[in-house]
Amino acid sequence: MLYSDHKNKYVNYRSEEFLSDTFFIRSMKEPTEESENFWSEFTKRNPSNIGEFIQAKQILLAIRDDESRMLPDEEVDQLLDRIMDINLGRTNKKRRVVRYWMGVAAGIAACVIAVIMIVQEPGPLTLGQDKILSYVEKNKTINLDDTTVKLIISDQKIIVTEEVEPVIAYDSKEIKLATTEISKAESAEYNQLIVPYGKRSRLTLSDGTKIWVNAGTHLTYPVEFTDTRREIYVSGEVFLDIAHDTDRPFIVKTDNFDIRVLGTKFNVSTYENEINNVVLVSGSVKISQSGKRQDVFLQPNEMFELHEGQSMKKQVNAEYYTSWINGLYIVDNEKLEVVLKRLSKYYGKKIACSPETGQLRCSGKLDLKESLNDILDNLNLKYTSGNNTYKIY
């Protein structure tokens, strides 16, 4: 094959290296069937640098080869200086590469877009720049202690269900929940799904992405994604099976970090006042934190953990963190207080124990299809219950 020598060449490339590569440039600007097949196979392998590939591809496609309208060197330098003042920490090499592509841009507007795409996109956008986070900020009145699952379609239409685990699906024309079907024409730009403690939900988005939503979770997402990117907001816990789309990266935004993928399976837990984590099952993801220059890339069975501003990456058994979608909770030498807090959310009951009891360790597999009483009995715990509260002693 003509391009066989390139097979493993690009797996560690950053965006500026793609933009310096003759084969990549020619493939993007003058694609052939063979080069398209090569890059299609590259993206299907979902390498850890897939985000860098997308950025380089976007900047090339955004710039027309119109040498006659090059910016003067002085204007290019001034523009770069203004952008670099905002985006600190980028290397001189990247500056030279971006400067070249700005030089062949059609005009100042194209230059600004292109440079921001390659220099600024890896980091989370600030609230003022980000549409979905602005929407979330304006609609923060969420009651997770309610007993009903709420799907907020618009200010005028809210669907409420008592189901323990309602299934919701978006297709090309309608929003479906049980026997209810709503035309997308009745929907606002963004929908909200609020799953209280004691309930779960399963959601299929308009692109085919499947989301398992755990108890105590708030999701915000557009009824239809744009042609260039897919973004949702999560507070709580979800498991995602992302529909693969090379041209539209999928971004999960949380209060503390962003997760960027193309097509993969992973779990996200971002409960307030708890350790936040991302656990990867398959594919790869890139995690960006505001104020952090270095992105974190995960491979399968790795976890990114964030606690009190400190982050770390470590090897884990992903099944332990995702088994809840199958009605199981796998515990491996975990503190009892952690187990009880998770059970409290899942069953929607308050569970109290003494600090000493909470430090006890336990291991095993809990069947979440059983009642909370049965779970506590299986853990050999003594307890009293009443008024929606369990007291362990």
Side-chain angles (χ1 to χ4, degrees):
M1 182 179 178
L2 179 62
Y3 303 121
S4 59
D5 292 342
H6 296 88
K7 189 173 181 70
N8 297 312
K9 174 181 177 181
Y10 298 100
V11 293
N12 295 313
Y13 265 36
R14 294 187 62 82
S15 51
E16 66 269 23
E17 293 172 300
F18 279 114
L19 289 172
S20 300
D21 185 85
T22 303
F23 172 63
F24 174 79
I25 296 169
R26 187 170 66 248
S27 298
M28 296 300 113
K29 286 299 185 182
E30 299 176 1
T32 64
E33 181 178 356
E34 199 166 5
S35 67
E36 287 187 342
N37 288 338
F38 173 83
W39 292 113
S40 176
E41 288 299 317
F42 176 82
T43 57
K44 284 179 181 177
R45 288 158 59 194
N46 205 12
S48 61
N49 67 336
I50 192 68
E52 302 288 337
F53 168 78
I54 291 172
Q55 289 170 354
K57 179 179 178 180
Q58 287 177 331
I59 194 172
L60 272 180
L61 297 179
I63 298 176
R64 299 195 302 272
D65 292 325
D66 187 356
E67 297 278 352
S68 65
R69 299 183 63 188
M70 292 172 60
L71 286 176
D73 286 349
E74 184 179 354
E75 289 185 32
V76 171
D77 284 332
Q78 289 174 354
L79 180 57
L80 275 171
D81 287 339
R82 291 199 299 272
I83 294 171
M84 292 303 178
D85 285 342
I86 300 171
N87 300 281
L88 300 176
R90 296 293 179 179
T91 65
N92 288 333
K93 180 180 179 182
K94 175 166 281 192
R95 177 188 173 104
R96 290 195 298 271
V97 172
V98 175
R99 186 184 185 281
Y100 169 78
W101 287 107
M102 288 182 66
V104 299
I108 187 73
C111 292
V112 174
I113 292 171
V115 173
I116 289 177
M117 284 170 65
I118 192 167
V119 176
Q120 201 171 18
E121 186 170 299
L125 297 175
T126 63
L127 184 61
Q129 296 170 298
D130 195 287
K131 192 174 182 181
I132 194 168
L133 289 185
S134 297
Y135 180 87
V136 170
E137 184 71 18
K138 294 174 183 176
N139 296 272
K140 266 193 169 180
T141 307
I142 306 296
N143 181 12
L144 295 174
D145 292 314
D146 195 358
T147 59
T148 59
V149 174
K150 291 183 175 64
L151 177 61
I152 303 175
I153 304 294
S154 67
D155 291 339
Q156 293 76 36
K157 188 175 288 292
I158 301 176
I159 301 175
V160 178
T161 177
E162 295 281 356
E163 288 185 63
V164 174
E165 192 170 339
V167 177
I168 303 165
Y170 289 69
D171 62 23
S172 59
K173 296 181 179 179
E174 293 179 322
I175 305 166
K176 300 178 181 179
L177 193 162
T179 58
T180 303
E181 295 184 356
I182 301 167
S183 170
K184 285 185 174 180
E186 300 180 49
S187 174
E189 181 179 2
Y190 290 103
N191 283 184
Q192 297 182 76
L193 177 59
I194 302 168
V195 179
Y197 299 122
K199 300 291 178 70
R200 271 77 53 202
S201 183
R202 283 179 290 151
L203 173 67
T204 301
L205 297 177
S206 59
D207 67 331
T209 289
K210 293 178 173 58
I211 305 179
W212 285 256
V213 186
N214 209 348
T217 298
H218 169 214
L219 271 179
T220 300
Y221 50 91
V223 176
E224 292 286 350
F225 292 114
T226 69
D227 293 335
T228 57
R229 62 199 289 152
R230 300 169 290 170
E231 286 187 338
I232 69 171
Y233 167 83
V234 174
S235 176
E237 183 171 26
V238 296
F239 176 84
L240 301 101
D241 184 352
I242 306 296
H244 188 84
D245 188 337
T246 305
D247 296 324
R248 295 191 299 172
F250 198 105
I251 300 170
V252 179
K253 307 191 81 68
T254 77
D255 290 331
N256 297 308
F257 50 81
D258 294 352
I259 309 159
R260 182 188 178 98
V261 302
L262 286 176
T264 186
K265 297 179 181 180
F266 61 102
N267 197 81
V268 183
S269 182
T270 62
Y271 289 114
E272 191 174 357
N273 300 320
E274 293 187 20
I275 297 174
N276 288 191
N277 63 59
V278 179
V279 177
L280 184 62
V281 175
S282 65
S284 63
V285 301
K286 179 172 75 172
I287 300 165
S288 304
Q289 292 177 259
S290 179
K292 300 282 187 179
R293 296 180 182 177
Q294 193 70 35
D295 296 329
V296 177
F297 293 88
L298 295 185
Q299 297 299 321
N301 287 310
E302 288 186 339
M303 177 172 73
F304 167 82
E305 191 172 83
L306 178 64
H307 182 51
E308 296 181 347
Q310 300 299 311
S311 63
M312 64 179 296
K313 183 173 77 170
K314 61 183 179 182
Q315 287 285 132
V316 296
N317 185 335
E319 185 184 8
Y320 291 1
Y321 297 87
T322 62
S323 59
W324 64 269
I325 70 173
N326 297 313
L328 296 173
Y329 179 18
I330 301 176
V331 183
D332 183 23
N333 195 34
E334 187 63 86
K335 288 183 180 179
L336 182 60
E337 64 180 4
V338 175
V339 175
L340 294 179
K341 183 179 290 187
R342 191 167 182 85
L343 293 174
S344 175
K345 292 189 184 74
Y346 195 89
Y347 288 95
K349 308 291 184 181
K350 295 179 180 178
I351 306 176
C353 69
S354 68
E356 295 78 12
T357 302
Q359 295 304 303
L360 296 175
R361 298 278 177 169
C362 54
S363 299
K365 185 181 292 186
L366 306 179
D367 187 348
L368 298 174
K369 294 182 286 294
E370 295 181 344
S371 69
L372 180 56
N373 286 28
D374 289 339
I375 293 282
L376 297 178
D377 289 340
N378 291 336
L379 288 171
N380 295 318
L381 296 174
K382 296 180 179 181
Y383 60 90
T384 58
S385 62
N387 297 321
N388 213 39
T389 299
Y390 285 72
K391 185 173 182 179
I392 311 298
Y393 60 93

